[in-house]
Amino acid sequence: QVQLVESGGGSVQAGGSMTLSCEASGDTVYNLYMAWFRQAPGKEREGVAAIWSGGSVYKYTKYSDSVNGRFTISRDNAKNTMYLQMSNLKPEDTAMYSCAASSRVVWTKLDSNAYDYWGQGARVTVAS
């Protein structure tokens, strides 16, 4: 069983930066497929970024086209924490951001149905 807790949400001006954190705890916290999702008012949930292991390190990543080049996903294994570094934020980035994880292989990395564990979510508001 895995528990996920997000932190770092808040409000920021357009063009600014913000970093979200997701701390994992439980009996199995290593070798997880992990990802960030977001859902804006009136829109469907969207996969933002995913990260998974290449055998010994979490070096493989995938980003949605809307955030590619602006967001960076990373993981600190020593702290069991995943991060989402966001820069050049736009008003359309406003959403509830949630972290997710799976102990099973995830083939479609930005598909929310592939993940079993979820955090409570962190609100991000980007003002124009």
Side-chain angles (χ1 to χ4, degrees):
Q1 190 68 33
V2 176
Q3 293 79 46
L4 304 173
V5 179
E6 300 99 333
S7 62
S11 298
V12 66
Q13 296 295 313
S17 301
M18 181 180 293
T19 298
L20 301 179
S21 300
C22 176
E23 184 177 3
S25 62
D27 294 332
T28 304
V29 296
Y30 302 111
N31 304 119
L32 295 173
Y33 291 76
M34 302 187 73
W36 288 95
F37 294 84
R38 68 184 183 185
Q39 186 167 20
K43 294 186 177 181
E44 297 296 318
R45 183 160 51 188
E46 173 191 16
V48 176
I51 185 167
W52 63 99
S53 175
S56 60
V57 297
Y58 282 80
K59 66 179 182 179
Y60 295 110
T61 59
K62 182 178 178 63
Y63 299 91
S64 67
D65 292 337
S66 62
V67 308
N68 189 43
R70 299 187 297 118
F71 290 13
T72 300
I73 188 171
S74 62
R75 188 171 190 266
D76 185 339
N77 289 332
K79 297 182 178 180
N80 296 320
T81 301
M82 178 179 65
Y83 303 95
L84 183 67
Q85 296 173 282
M86 304 179 290
S87 62
N88 192 26
L89 285 162
K90 305 175 180 180
E92 52 262 42
D93 293 320
T94 296
M96 175 72 76
Y97 285 73
S98 300
C99 66
S102 175
S103 59
R104 297 174 293 182
V105 173
V106 175
W107 294 104
T108 308
K109 303 302 188 293
L110 299 182
D111 180 5
S112 62
N113 292 324
Y115 296 87
D116 298 314
Y117 306 106
W118 292 84
Q120 82 285 0
R123 291 182 175 84
V124 174
T125 301
V126 183
S128 60

